[in-house]
Amino acid sequence: MITDTELVSQFSIELGEDYASAKSYVRDIPTQALVYIRSFTHKLASLVAKQHQLEFIGPNLYDRIEQLNQARLIDVTAIRTMHKLRADGNRGAHPEKYHLTQHQLVSLAEKSIKHIIDVIKQLYPLVHQASAPAYQFVPFDSLAGRDVCYRAMMHNDHHAQYLVAMSLKAQALMAQDQTGTQAVAPDETHNSQSNQDEMQRLFAQAAYWFAQAAPFEHAALYEHGVSLLHGYADFDPAKKVQHTKQGELLIAQAARHGIADAQALLGYFYLVGSEAFGADVEQAKLLLTQAAEADNVEAMSNLGVLFYEAGEYQKAYVWMSKAAESGYPQAQYHLALLLTEKLALNVGDNIDVQLEQSQIWMQEAASQGQLDAMLHCATTILHHEHATKAELEQAEHYLHDVIKYGHNVTAMIELSVALADGMLGRVDVVQSAYLLQQAKLHGNDIQRQVVAPLWQSLLMQIDSVIDNHCVTALQPSEGELAALQQAKHMLNLSS
């Protein structure tokens, strides 16, 4: 019986190579595995189109899959699987924007490999006019990762050096995500200094290997520029501007070599202005379009912003939609806002349809960890008098994450009030007091003005229960009284 890799190779030798590479990196370098999966999906779409003599109207992968769908060349199940592979590939390119851990990335890559096998089995009869042969799935291993490290160090293999650096960068970004988190409750503890040291070590190692590979790999050249731009390695703070300019120039050099990520970032530089490049809308449009057509979701999203700011709302809608449908949460959030703010877009049958679409995209962005969308959805639930228990639990989860990852003062205030008033099915004055304390500490003058009356109200609520617990129907336990005293002490301490 043949293996799963042999099955894909029998379907297409070229696709078999991408599949073998993707599968080999799943356990150790899942971000690279997902990059290969995105490449696989591009090539699969091209193979099906070529067999049916279909000419694609553009290079964007979403558009190509939809063109296959509209031509009814493959069934809906295969179309959905290809869209899933495309979206997962995009997540691999930006794991930090989805707050994905290494374990979650590995799980995502493993599922994507299984999705590839599913779509190959579905399309095998279409391409070869025969049923897919029986096969045996070979378990994942970590041999490829070890081999990459060996080749990078012992053979000075520049592509292996780039792959090692990408793995280190992904780990560093995830460590950075955890280092920047904030406690939501007073009993949460973080070894922040240890996390910070680990993050800096990983970034520094990534910067070293990117620098080694940069003269030989255009993708590594781009990443070397990014490492200089963001200060991955320790350098003299007095030379920060010099390093920033150097990084931007290297990114521009990589963009000229056709690296889509570099084109997207250089387009952003031209959109907003930077150390080395002045604002130039036409250059920004050109570069962002090039990157967007190469399926870079950040470029699609920024292109949508560019058209929005120019008042070209239909074009903004087109590009934001493509990025949103590619699974990019930032674009999903901005598309939801666009649909709400510009109700004359006529993208649905009527205004109600457009508002419904806005709500769907906002919920989708929230489910993928977009912090502004999570806050929006949470506050909407809390202010809805008929919210279900499950919805309230979801709102609390969202607010916790917005505070944890975004240090958002509005979320602190919303969650504090909900806990003090029992809106979440329980009263937790200790956590409520702690959140008000953090909101007061991190808030601006206007936010502190909002906190002040809530602070006094919570103190009065606590004092009322403590002073009258013996003569009222409310009989708190010893543990509850201790919690009330702790909350009171916390509030008085920060007054």
Side-chain angles (χ1 to χ4, degrees), residues 101-225:
T101 64
Q102 181 75 2
H103 174 75
Q104 289 170 325
L105 278 170
V106 170
S107 177
L108 181 65
E110 288 180 349
K111 289 177 182 177
S112 295
I113 289 294
K114 300 293 179 63
H115 287 320
I116 285 179
I117 294 299
D118 289 341
V119 79
I120 290 300
K121 288 191 297 183
Q122 291 167 22
L123 297 183
Y124 203 99
L126 178 69
V127 174
H128 293 286
Q129 289 73 52
S131 298
Y135 72 96
Q136 182 176 8
F137 188 86
V138 178
F140 299 101
D141 62 48
S142 295
L143 298 177
R146 297 170 195 169
D147 179 60
V148 166
C149 293
Y150 180 82
R151 287 189 286 113
M153 289 184 285
M154 303 304 294
H155 293 289
N156 199 29
D157 184 319
H158 304 303
H159 185 64
Q161 290 167 348
Y162 165 72
L163 293 177
V164 168
M166 288 297 290
S167 178
L168 290 164
K169 177 188 174 182
Q171 293 176 58
L173 288 170
M174 287 181 279
Q176 185 180 56
D177 204 21
Q178 292 301 312
T179 301
T181 61
Q182 173 164 344
V184 178
D187 57 347
E188 291 182 357
T189 57
H190 299 279
N191 190 352
S192 58
Q193 188 56 52
S194 175
N195 288 342
Q196 183 78 16
D197 292 344
E198 176 66 3
M199 177 192 74
Q200 290 177 345
R201 181 188 70 81
L202 290 166
F203 271 133
Q205 287 187 339
Y208 171 80
W209 288 113
F210 282 136
Q212 298 304 304
F216 310 95
E217 295 260 339
H218 296 150
L221 177 66
Y222 160 72
E223 293 291 352
H224 180 39

Side-chain angles (χ1 to χ4, degrees), residues 473-484:
L474 184 62
Q475 296 290 327
S477 65
E478 288 186 11
E480 290 169 336
L481 277 173
L484 288 165

Side-chain angles (χ1 to χ4, degrees), residues 9-23:
S9 294
Q10 284 189 19
F11 181 84
S12 162
I13 293 175
E14 186 179 15
L15 290 178
E17 291 172 355
D18 271 356
Y19 177 83
S21 296
K23 188 178 179 183

Side-chain angles (χ1 to χ4, degrees), residues 50-101:
K50 182 178 180 180
Q51 186 180 41
H52 290 84
Q53 299 180 328
L54 175 70
E55 291 288 334
F56 285 130
I57 57 176
N60 181 268
L61 181 56
Y62 175 85
D63 290 339
R64 290 185 169 195
I65 296 173
E66 281 303 296
Q67 200 174 339
L68 293 175
N69 184 33
Q70 290 164 10
R72 301 290 188 267
L73 297 183
I74 54 181
D75 65 30
V76 174
T77 304
I79 289 292
R80 288 174 181 165
T81 304
M82 290 177 71
H83 274 310
K84 178 66 176 171
L85 291 170
R86 173 187 53 79
D88 289 346
N90 288 331
R91 287 182 178 87
H94 306 282
E96 74 285 357
K97 295 187 184 299
Y98 299 85
H99 308 299
L100 296 175
T101 64

Side-chain angles (χ1 to χ4, degrees), residues 256-315:
R256 288 193 291 273
H257 286 294
I259 301 300
D261 287 345
Q263 292 169 336
L265 188 49
L266 183 58
Y268 178 75
F269 293 157
Y270 278 117
L271 185 63
V272 301
S274 67
E275 289 290 347
F277 302 96
D280 185 329
V281 174
E282 290 306 312
Q283 274 295 316
K285 188 185 298 185
L286 174 65
L287 286 157
L288 291 174
T289 300
Q290 289 174 345
E293 289 179 345
D295 216 39
N296 183 287
V297 290
E298 277 194 292
M300 295 178 204
S301 185
N302 285 331
L303 198 55
V305 171
L306 184 153
F307 284 121
Y308 179 87
E309 291 178 347
E312 298 183 64
Y313 302 121
Q314 288 292 345
K315 290 182 179 179

Side-chain angles (χ1 to χ4, degrees), residues 345-359:
L345 282 171
N346 297 321
V347 297
D349 296 332
N350 52 48
I351 297 302
D352 289 337
V353 170
Q354 192 165 317
L355 289 172
E356 183 181 355
Q357 288 182 341
S358 173
Q359 186 178 13

